[in-house]
Amino acid sequence: MSFIHLIGFGLKVGHLVLMLCYSFLTVISLNSLFINDSQMKPNNNNNTKSNKLWIKFLEIFSRNTSKIHHYYQYIGSDKFRKTWWKKLLILWIAFGTLLSLWVFWYMRSQALETRKDNLTNMCDERARMLQDQFNVSLNHVQAMSILISTFHHGKSPSAIDQETFAKYTERTAFERPLTSGVAYAVRVLDSEREQFEKQQGWTIKKMTPVNKDKYNPEELEPSPIQPEYAPVIFAQETVAHVISLDMLTGMEDCENVLRARELGKGVLTAPLELIKSNRLGVILTFAVYKRDLPSNATPEERIEATDGYLGGVFDIESLVEKLLQQLASKQTIYVNVYDTTNISNPISMYGVDVTDTGLQHVSPLNFGDPSRKHEMRCRFKQKQRWQTLAISTSFGIFVITLLVGHIFHATINRIAKVEDDYHKMSKLKKRAEDADVAKSEFLATVSHEIRTPMNGVLGMLDMLMDTVLDVTQQDYVRTAQASGKALVSLINAVLDQAKIESGKLELEAVRFDLREIFDDVLSLFSGKSQEKGIELAVYISAKVPETLTGDPGRFRQIITNLMGNSIKFTEKGHIFVTVHLLEEAAESIDVETEPSSKDTLSGLPVADRNRSCEGFRPANQVEDPSESVTLIISVEDTGAGIPLEAQHRIFTPFMQVGPSIYRMHGGTGIGLSISKCLVNLMNGEIGFDSVPHIGSTFTFTAVFSNPNEQQVNGQPKSKLEFCGMQAVVVDPRPVRAEVSRYHIQRLGMHVETVSSLTSALSMLTNGSQTVHVVLIEEEVWDRDSSNSSLFFYKLRNSDNPPKLFILTNSIGGSRQYNGICSPAVITKPLRVSMLAASLQRAMGSNRSNDRNGEIPKLSLSKLLIGRKILVVDDNNVNLRVAAGALKKYGAEVVCAENGRKAISLLKPPHSFDACFMDIQMPEMDGFEATRTIRDNEQDINTRIQHGSLSLQDYANVSNWHVPILAMTADVIQATHEQCLKSGMDGYVSKPFEANQLYQEVSRFFL
């Protein structure tokens, strides 16, 4: 389902929900209105207002639902698909592009924020550590100033000298982790200079050296005369070179000293180059007072109370370097320390100038001097790398967007193509259906147009046979009849193939006797088999029910096609048909089917029957045995066989084994194709095995319904006159003897089989039972004429001689051996009607018997004699043929040329017993005429029942319904169905056949 159709489906569901809500709200509103109207309360005005608001809401709701319904109809239309889907595709791609860019920006900003947070944390950590350690050093220097004030100025003599001060500061250096040295300068007035220099033993010197690159204390100049001096008298060993230097002679130191004694706090100098080391540093200075001063002491008071100045030297570069060495992430970022007292010109105290890496963080530093400002600036050593995750994610979203868009585009195109193909296929289907209808109509027309004149030809030939003809004329007429029937059979086969290809072939479901069908087929091919002298036999298992439900005509067609091919291609040997239940196939007659075997019907080798049914479904996979019967039928012959190269196309329509086959045997090549299709319609399977120059075996299965009324074990209705008789069959071949036993048992007789005349004679002379019939195979009888004559003589001279018959494959009369007349002959193939007739003749009975299931003319005459029948046909020849055929059986026939005349003749009251109505006629066809006749009969019957018409005026018949039989050359199944729908009672195809005519007429006249 495409995205558009999904949206349309969602809107449809939403619309359905809204409509349900609307219906629910409408019911509620109607109920509320009814209740308010029924309750006439004083606040009727308020109820009216609320009802109006409620109705207004429902109107708005209904308008919105109708708009939504219009919207989803528009979305599901072809117009929306053709005009808007490209715009939606572009919007989708634009949305995906913007989404991918936003994801890239978001992930990049998150990465930058994380990088910035990391830099901030690292920089703040370093600044905090530096500031903490500076504060520790500051506090210790301040404590030392108090110590000097106490032990140097507060005692006399002083408790501190240079050596003591140096040792103390050296041992306590760890408490000042950021100071590189500590020194104390005493305040000396100009008046006290000379005495001070004598006391110290050195001269107060100027702080600035002559040569800054090479510091040498001996080269320092004496401090110039000034009101006061601040010479260093104590110093840590690391800065002992500053002893005797006047702090007031250095510009930064002088300013620092003066600020320190005025403020009473520690003050810092600006970054300066330290003496001797020339490294950049700062000096922290504390004033040492003679006495404790109040916190609000004035600067003058502080200056007056000043005794000296304690300074701590900080080598910033080395100190910061040591601090960073303690951190593992030293190599990650650059650190710079600046004095930003002058914001316009900050002084770098530590670090090097580096290129801009894109991100910088500034952490403020507080070294205790509010007049000086410091800060630490940090930046990463490397620029930020490409955001691989952000790029890949955004690119992936973009690619997914393109893929979804492509799928969307392909889906829409596919849907459009499928819809276009659907419309094309619908048109093609409509054309195919029209062509199929035209084909069916063409087939019906062709069938009718061809069979109509053939009906005239065959009908006239049949009428001609009833006249006086000599032998030559009768032969000519029989030849013409055979040719006409062959043409009709060919037409039927072509029409069947056409119906199979169009899927119009349907099967009937009627009850039929399976054994009678095989008897009819045997009678059909008996003449050809007798002419060729080949054995033709059928064996049906006793477990096969006598009556089945299915299509007997189509089943007969399959058997006729297979046996007809066998008769056509077999010149010697036999044709053997066996019928068993599928589940008992393994227990059927045990016939060895190897080509070298002699245990067959004729003694010749045959193709393997088991191979012909390889691949068939097993018995447990077919229909339920309680509701259906599955038969397996094999047709075995000893003919020419099928060449191996032609076996793969044996079921292909209009394909023959080779052109020589057509020249020798004729045929159209569609019989097996039709048989395969009919087998498939019967839910069966068909297969074959063929060995060239040996023969072929065709096997198929067919499923039939199992009627409710069945005779036990499939036993047929026995002939009462033969029931209980004893028969003996003399045949050395077990298979052939079993076939003879099967047919004789169908008459109700008990059968014994023996292999020789000697065994038969022994049974007849020594047996306790009376034998009534002896049937001897011609092969046994002709083998030894003397033995046969002796058998015949002894049998004839016995007390109660049985009837003796010879079973033969060829036509012939009685024979004589040594002056002795041979027994009666029964010509194969065996079937019940022929056996019964032969036995009756031998026993002296003149009872008339139906021959091989055919309907005798006497039976039809009994049904039709004296019947008044209307025949309706527009063709004069067919009219004469039909009238002549019916008159032959004693019917009184009235002819009509069209449907309108038939309507007037069959308008009640009338004296017609039946009507044979042609279907295709000008002006009014048989269907319309029949419907009109039925309407007239219905109208008169209704009026008679209501008393509006007198029953005496209509021959005292209260229910008029004349039997109408369709009479047409059209053999299409659909035509048969249309006949029944139009009100006809039956169907008779042209030309008339006695069996079909008897079957239809007997339904009304018996």
Side-chain angles (χ1 to χ4, degrees):
M1 183 183 292
S2 65
F3 182 70
I4 293 176
H5 290 128
L6 184 62
I7 295 176
F9 177 75
L11 289 176
K12 289 180 180 180
V13 174
H15 176 258
L16 179 61
V17 174
L18 289 176
M19 291 302 295
L20 291 175
C21 295
Y22 175 72
S23 302
F24 179 72
L25 293 174
T26 303
V27 172
I28 294 176
S29 63
L30 291 176
N31 290 335
S32 63
L33 289 174
F34 177 77
I35 293 172
N36 290 334
D37 289 339
S38 61
Q39 297 175 355
M40 303 299 294
K41 293 184 178 181
N43 55 351
N44 191 26
N45 293 330
N46 294 332
N47 292 333
T48 303
K49 292 180 180 179
S50 62
N51 291 336
K52 290 181 179 180
L53 292 176
W54 184 254
I55 294 173
K56 184 67 175 178
F57 169 74
L58 293 178
E59 291 177 354
I60 297 173
F61 185 81
S62 61
R63 285 199 301 269
N64 291 334
T65 54
S66 62
K67 290 180 180 178
I68 293 174
H69 179 72
H70 173 72
Y71 289 155
Y72 82 70
Q73 283 186 336
Y74 176 68
I75 288 177
S77 63
D78 293 337
K79 181 179 179 181
F80 179 83
R81 176 177 60 81
K82 294 180 179 178
T83 57
W84 285 97
W85 69 268
K86 291 185 178 180
K87 296 180 181 179
L88 290 175
L89 180 61
I90 294 173
L91 290 175
W92 168 256
I93 294 176
F95 170 75
T97 303
L98 294 176
L99 179 62
S100 62
L101 293 176
W102 179 83
V103 169
F104 174 75
W105 171 82
Y106 177 78
M107 296 185 69
R108 184 175 180 275
S109 62
Q110 289 295 107
L112 289 175
E113 192 69 25
T114 302
R115 183 178 174 87
K116 184 177 180 181
D117 291 341
N118 293 336
L119 181 62
T120 299
N121 294 334
M122 289 189 290
C123 193
D124 290 343
E125 181 184 12
R126 285 155 179 74
R128 185 174 60 255
M129 292 179 65
L130 180 61
Q131 183 172 301
D132 291 344
Q133 294 189 20
F134 187 87
N135 290 334
V136 171
S137 300
L138 183 145
N139 292 333
H140 195 269
V141 171
Q142 185 178 10
M144 287 186 65
S145 67
I146 298 173
L147 185 144
I148 291 174
S149 174
T150 303
F151 293 98
H152 177 65
H153 295 286
K155 290 186 180 293
S156 182
S158 173
I160 301 175
D161 55 10
Q162 170 57 30
E163 182 179 359
T164 303
F165 186 85
K167 289 181 179 181
Y168 176 77
T169 54
E170 187 67 28
R171 293 177 180 176
T172 58
F174 69 92
E175 296 181 353
R176 304 180 303 278
L178 298 184
T179 59
S180 58
V182 181
Y184 176 70
V186 68
R187 182 184 184 190
V188 178
L189 299 176
D190 183 56
S191 59
E192 299 172 348
R193 177 177 179 174
E194 183 177 357
Q195 182 182 356
F196 175 79
E197 289 178 344
K198 289 180 181 180
Q199 184 181 355
Q200 295 294 330
W202 40 261
T203 304
I204 299 176
K205 298 178 180 179
K206 187 178 179 181
M207 189 172 184
T208 305
V210 178
N211 189 354
K212 292 183 179 180
D213 297 331
K214 295 181 180 181
Y215 177 78
N216 187 0
E218 300 298 334
E219 296 178 356
L220 296 177
E221 298 177 355
S223 176
I225 298 173
Q226 52 189 12
E228 61 178 277
Y229 307 92
V232 178
I233 58 174
F234 302 140
Q236 192 175 341
E237 287 295 332
T238 55
V239 291
H241 57 275
V242 300
I243 295 176
S244 74
L245 296 181
D246 184 6
M247 295 292 105
L248 296 179
T249 57
M251 183 178 61
E252 292 84 358
D253 295 314
C254 179
E255 181 182 355
N256 205 42
V257 168
L258 296 178
R259 284 196 309 114
R261 70 183 183 182
E262 289 179 0
L263 297 175
K265 297 179 180 180
V267 295
L268 291 172
T269 63
L272 50 87
E273 291 184 357
L274 299 177
I275 299 174
K276 191 175 181 179
S277 65
N278 293 330
R279 297 172 65 87
L280 196 64
V282 295
I283 299 175
L284 175 64
T285 305
F286 282 94
V288 179
Y289 297 103
K290 299 176 182 178
R291 60 183 182 278
D292 293 334
L293 295 175
S295 59
N296 58 353
T298 63
E300 290 78 9
E301 292 176 346
R302 294 181 183 278
I303 294 174
E304 177 64 24
T306 300
D307 268 341
Y309 312 97
L310 182 65
V313 180
F314 293 86
D315 187 348
I316 298 298
E317 293 184 7
S318 61
L319 295 177
V320 175
E321 189 69 24
K322 290 179 182 179
L323 176 65
L324 296 180
Q325 290 290 344
Q326 302 175 13
L327 300 175
S329 58
K330 171 182 179 294
Q331 303 298 328
T332 306
I333 62 175
Y334 290 114
V335 176
N336 292 76
V337 180
Y338 288 90
D339 185 325
T340 57
T341 303
N342 185 3
I343 191 64
S344 61
N345 186 24
I347 302 172
S348 176
M349 301 174 64
Y350 172 80
V352 295
D353 293 334
V354 294
T355 57
D356 187 10
T357 56
L359 189 62
Q360 176 181 283
H361 179 73
V362 177
S363 296
L365 296 173
N366 183 10
F367 290 154
D369 186 355
S371 63
R372 310 297 303 181
K373 296 186 181 300
H374 302 84
E375 63 183 29
M376 179 181 289
R377 299 178 182 178
C378 304
R379 67 181 66 220
F380 286 103
K381 289 185 177 181
Q382 296 180 350
K383 290 186 177 181
Q384 186 178 9
R385 297 180 180 179
W386 287 93
Q387 299 295 322
T388 307
L389 181 60
I391 293 174
S392 60
T393 303
S394 59
F395 181 73
I397 293 175
F398 182 70
V399 170
I400 291 174
T401 301
L402 293 180
L403 289 176
V404 172
H406 175 71
I407 294 173
F408 175 75
H409 177 71
T411 303
I412 293 297
N413 289 338
R414 179 62 179 170
I415 292 174
K417 186 177 182 303
V418 169
E419 290 180 352
D420 294 339
D421 293 343
Y422 172 76
H423 292 310
K424 292 180 181 178
M425 290 300 295
S426 299
K427 294 179 181 178
L428 292 176
K429 180 175 178 291
K430 182 65 168 57
R431 291 171 58 185
E433 291 176 349
D434 294 341
D436 187 59
V437 172
K439 181 179 178 181
S440 299
E441 293 176 354
F442 172 76
L443 290 175
T445 303
V446 169
S447 172
H448 183 271
E449 295 301 326
I450 294 178
R451 291 172 64 91
T452 296
M454 283 304 304
N455 173 49
V457 172
L458 295 177
M460 288 299 179
L461 290 174
D462 190 54
M463 294 173 65
L464 184 60
M465 285 293 294
D466 294 334
T467 63
V468 179
L469 301 174
D470 59 26
V471 176
T472 303
Q473 291 172 335
Q474 289 181 2
D475 182 62
Y476 291 163
V477 172
R478 290 192 182 96
T479 303
Q481 281 183 324
S483 299
K485 290 180 179 179
L487 180 58
V488 171
S489 299
L490 177 61
I491 294 171
N492 291 339
V494 174
L495 291 175
D496 283 342
Q497 183 64 33
K499 287 188 285 184
I500 289 171
E501 292 177 354
S502 63
K504 295 292 184 66
L505 190 63
E506 298 179 358
L507 300 181
E508 295 180 344
V510 297
R511 294 184 63 175
F512 66 95
D513 190 323
L514 182 70
R515 290 165 177 80
E516 288 184 0
I517 287 180
F518 278 99
D519 285 347
D520 293 342
V521 176
L522 286 175
S523 299
L524 178 65
F525 292 109
S526 61
K528 291 184 180 180
S529 66
Q530 292 166 2
E531 290 175 4
K532 290 187 173 184
I534 59 177
E535 188 92 24
L536 180 61
V538 171
Y539 176 86
I540 301 177
S541 170
K543 295 183 179 180
V544 176
E546 180 184 1
T547 305
L548 298 173
T549 300
D551 192 329
R554 294 304 179 183
F555 182 75
R556 184 199 310 267
Q557 186 175 357
I558 298 172
I559 298 298
T560 302
N561 286 338
L562 296 179
M563 293 182 66
N565 286 339
S566 296
I567 288 287
K568 185 188 303 182
F569 296 108
T570 302
E571 300 298 331
K572 63 178 181 177
H574 68 268
I575 299 170
F576 187 30
V577 182
T578 59
V579 183
H580 295 83
L581 296 178
L582 182 59
E583 53 267 23
E584 61 145 353
E587 303 174 1
S588 62
I589 301 176
D590 188 12
V591 178
E592 190 69 29
T593 57
E594 293 295 329
S596 60
S597 174
K598 299 296 182 179
D599 190 15
T600 60
L601 188 68
S602 63
L604 296 179
V606 296
D608 190 353
R609 184 179 63 186
N610 295 328
R611 292 182 58 186
S612 66
C613 57
E614 285 182 351
F616 282 12
R617 296 189 302 270
N620 56 2
Q621 293 184 10
V622 296
E623 303 289 338
D624 185 5
S626 63
E627 299 179 358
S628 63
V629 175
T630 303
L631 303 182
I632 180 167
I633 301 97
S634 294
V635 180
E636 165 189 296
D637 67 61
T638 57
I642 304 171
L644 296 178
E645 64 274 10
Q647 292 185 6
H648 67 280
R649 63 174 185 267
I650 198 67
F651 292 110
T652 304
F654 304 104
M655 295 294 292
Q656 291 191 345
V657 173
S660 61
I661 299 298
Y662 176 74
R663 290 193 298 269
M664 293 176 58
H665 303 284
T668 59
I670 59 176
L672 289 178
S673 172
I674 294 174
S675 298
K676 181 177 177 63
C677 295
L678 293 177
V679 168
N680 292 334
L681 289 175
M682 294 179 183
N683 298 321
E685 300 169 285
I686 187 170
F688 72 96
D689 180 59
S690 182
V691 180
H693 309 297
I694 296 295
S696 302
T697 299
F698 283 80
T699 301
F700 71 95
T701 60
V703 180
F704 299 98
S705 298
N706 195 3
N708 295 328
E709 298 179 3
Q710 289 292 342
Q711 295 184 6
V712 181
N713 295 328
Q715 292 294 335
K717 300 176 181 178
S718 301
K719 301 288 184 178
L720 297 178
E721 57 186 301
F722 304 118
C723 185
M725 289 186 178
Q726 184 74 26
V728 175
V729 176
V730 182
D731 194 338
R733 299 191 183 280
V735 175
R736 190 168 55 191
E738 190 65 28
V739 171
S740 300
R741 180 203 296 270
Y742 154 71
H743 287 286
I744 299 171
Q745 283 180 338
R746 292 178 62 191
L747 296 175
M749 302 174 67
H750 300 287
V751 183
E752 296 289 340
T753 61
V754 294
S755 60
S756 64
L757 292 175
T758 305
S759 300
L761 187 60
S762 175
M763 177 184 292
L764 292 174
T765 57
N766 300 328
S768 59
Q769 295 181 351
T770 302
V771 177
H772 301 87
V773 179
V774 177
L775 297 97
I776 304 174
E777 185 64 35
E778 183 183 24
E779 175 186 349
V780 178
W781 187 259
D782 293 342
R783 184 180 301 166
D784 188 352
S785 59
S786 60
N787 193 18
S788 301
S789 300
L790 179 62
F791 178 83
F792 182 76
Y793 177 77
K794 290 184 177 181
L795 198 66
R796 188 178 59 177
N797 294 330
S798 61
D799 296 335
N800 190 13
K803 300 298 180 181
L804 185 62
F805 296 92
I806 302 299
L807 301 178
T808 181
N809 294 323
S810 59
I811 302 175
S814 62
R815 307 178 187 181
Q816 290 187 2
Y817 297 94
N818 299 325
I820 301 176
C821 183
S822 67
V825 175
I826 297 179
T827 306
K828 298 179 182 179
L830 299 179
R831 56 257 193 218
V832 169
S833 58
M834 182 268 296
L835 278 174
S838 298
L839 293 175
Q840 287 170 352
R841 284 195 299 270
M843 295 177 180
S845 174
N846 294 322
R847 182 180 301 178
S848 176
N849 293 282
D850 297 346
R851 185 177 180 272
N852 301 325
E854 295 179 356
I855 302 299
K857 295 182 179 180
L858 183 60
S859 299
L860 270 175
S861 299
K862 291 180 179 179
L863 290 178
L864 297 179
I865 190 169
R867 303 286 185 178
K868 187 175 182 179
I869 297 176
L870 175 65
V871 178
V872 185
D873 200 318
D874 63 309
N875 188 289
N876 290 328
V877 175
N878 291 335
L879 203 59
R880 291 175 59 189
V881 170
L886 294 173
K887 288 179 180 179
K888 181 172 63 175
Y889 298 118
E892 179 185 352
V893 179
V894 176
C895 297
E897 296 80 12
N898 54 63
R900 298 188 185 277
K901 187 174 181 180
I903 293 173
S904 62
L905 290 175
L906 293 178
K907 185 175 182 180
H910 59 75
S911 59
F912 290 100
D913 297 299
C915 173
F916 286 80
M917 178 83 69
D918 187 26
I919 293 178
Q920 296 183 359
M921 295 183 295
E923 297 184 13
M924 179 182 291
D925 60 19
F927 300 132
E928 185 178 355
T930 301
R931 283 192 291 267
T932 304
I933 292 171
R934 295 304 183 211
D935 291 341
N936 292 338
E937 292 175 342
Q938 181 66 28
D939 179 63
I940 290 176
N941 293 337
T942 303
R943 294 169 65 183
I944 290 176
Q945 291 176 1
H946 290 85
S948 58
L949 293 178
S950 173
L951 187 62
Q952 289 76 14
D953 295 339
Y954 287 88
N956 293 323
V957 178
S958 60
N959 186 17
W960 284 91
H961 182 91
V962 60
I964 299 177
L965 298 177
M967 182 180 61
T968 180
D970 188 358
V971 294
I972 305 298
Q973 178 69 22
T975 305
H976 189 191
E977 296 175 357
Q978 191 174 359
C979 291
L980 299 179
K981 291 180 180 179
S982 63
M984 294 183 177
D985 299 284
Y987 183 95
V988 178
S989 63
K990 299 177 184 179
F992 284 164
E993 294 181 359
N995 288 337
Q996 186 184 19
L997 185 61
Y998 179 84
Q999 181 180 358
E1000 293 296 332
V1001 172
S1002 62
R1003 293 193 294 120
F1004 310 108
F1005 297 154
L1006 278 182

